[in-house]
Amino acid sequence: MQLTLQAIDESGHSVENAKMRLQILTRSQNPWFTTDFPISEGTTLLDLEALAPKGELQIQQMLPIRGTYQLLVDVMPIVPNAFAPIHQTLTLSVPENWVKYRNFGILAAILLAAGLGGGWLIGSGQPIQPGEIAPQRVRLLLSGVTVVAIAALLYVNISAELGQSHRSMAMSHMTEDVPTSDKPSKVQSQGLEMQLSGDSSATVGQLAKLQVGVIDVKTKQPVTDVALRIKTTQLENNWVAFAYQGIPDSTGKLAWQQQFFDGAPHNIEVEVAPQPTSTRRFQPFQVAQNIPVEGVAPPLVVRLISLAYMTGIVGVGLLLGLWLQRRRTQQSPPTLKRSFS
């Protein structure tokens, strides 16, 4: 999603020579109606503070889950007392993808049909043989349901435990599995030195701190008259998670914090280029770094609630099947049996 924020004064003109801070907060946690990324619910997706000479901030940000996002915006003057600081909270609603509803409807229909067939079979009134507490087909059905329920509970609990115990082990091997970027994180070119630094790994649900700095190789002084283009790409499916073009501050640095909500390796690439009004001229060059991201399994309570929903749908189908079978039996006309002696 392309997002543009513009600070405007009382006369309707853009505020100039400003510094803007943007924080994007995801929807609050709701274990009863969770999303595809429950760990990212109720967390900060992005924290960016950058110079805005024209009072405008433009970013490209992937919004991973449905719900209402909060955008906390602070606008401060670069020159003290140039204007009164501005703080505003904006909201942005993201609807759910209709494919999710379609897939859930298909799954619910399958579970409901399974329960309906079981209820119809149980209510069929099969004769009970001597020594049996229920007909054979009913006993087989109940046994199968019991085995499936036990297997589901074991899977939920064991997978949660294994996910916790293997998390540190997986993270230790993750760095080896992530491909090395074809661009280094520190480059000297045409009299400039640019370095990308910060966290070398990340965890879903937590912010990773990143920073890029540019200095003059000869004078060792920070360079501010350049443009920086940042792009974060998810490597498994090659989609852009975050992109921004800005300028460094007075120290020649641009820092930001972002959350990698998808537990897959990401590539961060920063390109430096001369500003149109700058007298400094050089060919743009890039630095890059691949960051392994540790995925976090959904909480156990979320899994149990989802299992309860699925079991409830089967239960509704079971009761419906029993009711239909009983209604069919009551509406069937009585039959007469004749015997001859």
Side-chain angles (χ1 to χ4, degrees):
M1 173 178 288
Q2 197 77 18
L3 180 64
T4 302
L5 299 173
Q6 188 174 21
I8 301 176
D9 58 18
E10 295 179 354
S11 61
H13 297 89
S14 297
V15 175
E16 297 185 352
N17 297 322
K19 180 170 60 175
M20 300 182 68
R21 182 184 181 186
L22 170 63
Q23 295 175 280
I24 301 180
L25 310 182
T26 62
R27 51 159 272 183
S28 58
Q29 292 182 333
N30 187 351
W32 301 103
F33 298 98
T34 186
T35 63
D36 292 342
F37 299 95
I39 301 300
S40 295
E41 296 176 10
T43 62
T44 302
L45 192 63
L46 177 70
D47 190 345
L48 171 67
E49 183 174 312
L51 298 180
K54 301 299 182 181
E56 185 176 280
L57 181 68
Q58 188 175 44
I59 66 169
Q60 180 180 344
Q61 175 66 55
M62 176 71 73
L63 302 178
I65 57 179
R66 69 177 185 273
T68 301
Y69 291 79
Q70 286 189 329
L71 280 64
L72 308 183
V73 185
D74 290 283
V75 183
M76 299 154 286
I78 298 177
V79 179
N81 302 322
F83 59 86
I86 303 171
H87 174 78
Q88 192 170 357
T89 299
L90 307 175
T91 58
L92 180 64
S93 296
V94 176
E96 182 62 279
N97 189 341
W98 70 271
V99 176
K100 303 292 183 181
Y101 294 114
R102 183 200 64 184
N103 294 341
F104 175 77
I106 294 174
L107 177 60
I110 294 174
L111 294 175
L112 188 65
L116 182 64
W120 183 272
L121 181 61
I122 292 175
S124 59
Q126 302 176 52
I128 301 177
Q129 301 299 327
E132 294 182 341
I133 60 175
Q136 182 180 9
R137 284 193 293 176
V138 174
R139 287 186 286 111
L140 290 175
L141 176 63
L142 294 177
S143 298
V145 171
T146 302
V147 170
V148 171
I150 293 175
L153 288 174
L154 287 175
Y155 172 78
V156 169
N157 287 275
I158 293 175
S159 59
E161 293 296 329
L162 290 178
Q164 183 69 24
S165 61
H166 290 300
R167 188 170 300 165
S168 59
M169 183 181 300
M171 197 62 187
S172 64
H173 294 291
M174 197 175 295
T175 305
E176 301 176 1
D177 297 336
V178 174
T180 304
S181 174
D182 58 351
K183 300 181 181 66
S185 60
K186 182 178 181 180
V187 173
Q188 286 189 4
S189 176
Q190 307 166 77
L192 298 178
E193 177 182 287
M194 180 169 59
Q195 181 175 4
L196 176 62
S197 59
D199 294 337
S200 58
S201 61
T203 302
V204 173
Q206 301 177 14
L207 288 174
K209 298 179 180 180
L210 299 161
Q211 177 181 272
V212 61
V214 185
I215 63 173
D216 189 291
V217 175
K218 293 182 179 180
T219 63
K220 302 298 181 183
Q221 295 299 312
V223 176
T224 60
D225 57 345
V226 293
L228 299 173
R229 299 183 181 93
I230 303 170
K231 184 173 69 172
T232 300
T233 306
Q234 198 256 30
L235 293 178
E236 285 189 356
N237 304 107
N238 200 35
W239 45 261
V240 177
F242 169 70
Y244 169 70
Q245 178 175 340
I247 58 177
D249 58 16
S250 59
T251 64
K253 297 178 181 178
L254 175 60
W256 74 99
Q257 300 181 64
Q258 69 176 108
Q259 180 188 156
F260 300 91
F261 54 85
D262 190 299
H266 287 65
N267 173 263
I268 300 177
E269 183 179 273
V270 182
E271 180 183 85
V272 60
Q275 293 186 22
T277 58
S278 174
T279 58
R280 188 189 302 269
R281 289 297 160 203
F282 58 92
Q283 291 297 319
F285 60 95
Q286 300 85 24
V287 292
Q289 181 178 350
N290 288 351
I291 294 185
V293 181
E294 177 186 3
V296 181
L300 180 60
V301 63
V302 172
R303 297 185 179 189
L304 292 177
I305 290 174
S306 299
L307 178 62
Y309 286 156
M310 300 299 103
T311 306
I313 295 175
V314 175
V316 170
L318 185 66
L319 294 176
L320 182 61
L322 287 171
W323 178 77
L324 291 175
Q325 184 63 269
R326 179 176 298 181
R327 184 178 179 182
R328 172 180 172 274
T329 303
Q330 291 175 351
Q331 292 179 351
S332 298
T335 58
L336 298 177
K337 296 183 178 180
R338 300 180 61 183
S339 59
F340 300 90
S341 58

